[in-house]
Amino acid sequence: MSRNVRFHEIGGPEVLKLEDVPEPAPAAGEVLIHARAWGLNRADSLFRQGQYGVAPVLPSGLGFEVAGLVAAVGDGVSEFHVGQAVSVVPGFDLLAYPMHGEAVLAPAHAVVAHPDQLSFEQAAATWMQYITAYGGLVDIANTQPGDTVVISAASSSVGLAAVQIAGRVGAKAVALTRTSAKRRQLLDAGAGAVIATTEEDVVARIRELTDERGARVIFDPVGGATLATLIEAAAPGATLVVYGVLDFTPATVNVMELLLKRLTIRGFGVAELAADSRRLTAAVDFVRTGVAAGDLIPVIDKVFPLEDFAEAHRHLERNDQVGKIVVALSPKE
């Protein structure tokens, strides 16, 4: 048997249950993983609340990220062996492959042997955030040395990954955060500048930091009412990558500014890379190389034991974390 997180109704963390389910057997092209750590994402909360865009089929599992040991492989899987330490790259069907359980199945194409220098907790805090940030900054926006990259919600795990990736490619990261409370932590994480959005004039500060040119790349998971501000702060020819919706307020866009600046506004999700083997391979190689060089270091906010998995979700929804929230599991007997 395997203890897996499931929910039978839409709602807050209180609807989550740790339930015993039969341990699955891998079919062709699948890998069975005995989990040692899960990574939590904002998408887990949205999915549980019925706001993710993919409706849960109740009762439902959840979870996009896991790190652990290979317990079995299905037919046709030759690149992994039992006992190997692996993680998953999100981008598969969540309804078919929920990751938050003691024993979970994953499609082999989404499984990676994580770098030796990473613990299970660090590995569970790696692929979603770095692949997402790589996709927006490198694959889509082609961030170059000397570019100014504005990163909204910069204290999130993806935001911190974006700060590190900007630094690795030689760009200047400008971190946006609601208040000054996390300023020191963001500077220590590698941001070249920090703007507290409720305390400062965002557009004026970005113009000041860019000699009035504006930002060439903007990486945003918020959307909503702030989108107009980001467009105003963008440089001519800039690329604005939107990878999430934390603010469901309909966005108002100044179309004239969009035209005059020749801006590109691009929606992005990690599944886009996961569906393209060439682009995914490039992303995984970039992250592996960055981890090995010490430029990409997963930032973990807090590790919760399995028994406190619901409290981990509550912590996620308090929005005061800096980095990744992880749930650690004991070795499965």
Side-chain angles (χ1 to χ4, degrees), residues 13 24 32 34 37 58-59 64 74 78 87 92 145 151-152 164 174 209 221 229 250 256 302 305 312 333:
L32 177 66
H34 281 176
L58 301 172
F64 290 89
S78 59
S87 315
F92 39 80
I151 301 164
S152 304
Q164 294 180 10
V174 176
L209 292 166
T229 300
M256 183 59 72
K302 190 171 182 179
E333 297 178 358

Side-chain angles (χ1 to χ4, degrees), residues 6 85 92 101 131 149 181 192 195 211 221 272 281 288-289 323 325:
R6 308 214 313 159
F92 39 80
I131 296 292
V149 179
I195 300 174
D211 295 325
E272 179 182 332
T281 297
R288 283 190 187 282
T289 303
I325 299 169

Side-chain angles (χ1 to χ4, degrees), residues 168-201:
R168 179 163 173 78
V169 301
K172 179 179 180 178
V174 176
L176 303 189
T177 184
R178 288 174 299 166
T179 72
S180 297
K182 300 174 182 177
R183 185 183 300 274
R184 184 71 263 161
Q185 290 164 293
L186 289 167
L187 291 171
D188 290 344
V194 176
I195 300 174
T197 59
T198 61
E199 302 169 10
E200 303 176 70
D201 184 323

Side-chain angles (χ1 to χ4, degrees), residues 1-2 16 26 34 44 54 69 131 165 194 220 332:
M1 298 295 286
S2 170
L16 297 172
H34 281 176
D44 298 326
V54 176
L69 298 172
I131 296 292
I165 286 176
V194 176
D220 177 58
K332 194 175 188 302

Side-chain angles (χ1 to χ4, degrees), residues 18-75:
L18 197 60
E19 299 181 343
D20 287 330
V21 299
E23 179 168 307
E30 293 181 337
V31 176
L32 177 66
I33 300 171
H34 281 176
R36 298 291 294 276
W38 307 328
L40 265 62
N41 292 280
R42 185 66 53 185
D44 298 326
S45 173
L46 294 174
F47 180 68
R48 168 175 40 77
Q49 297 176 73
Q51 298 178 336
Y52 182 60
V54 176
V57 177
L58 301 172
S60 178
L62 81 170
F64 290 89
E65 290 186 277
V66 68
L69 298 172
V70 174
V73 298
D75 290 343

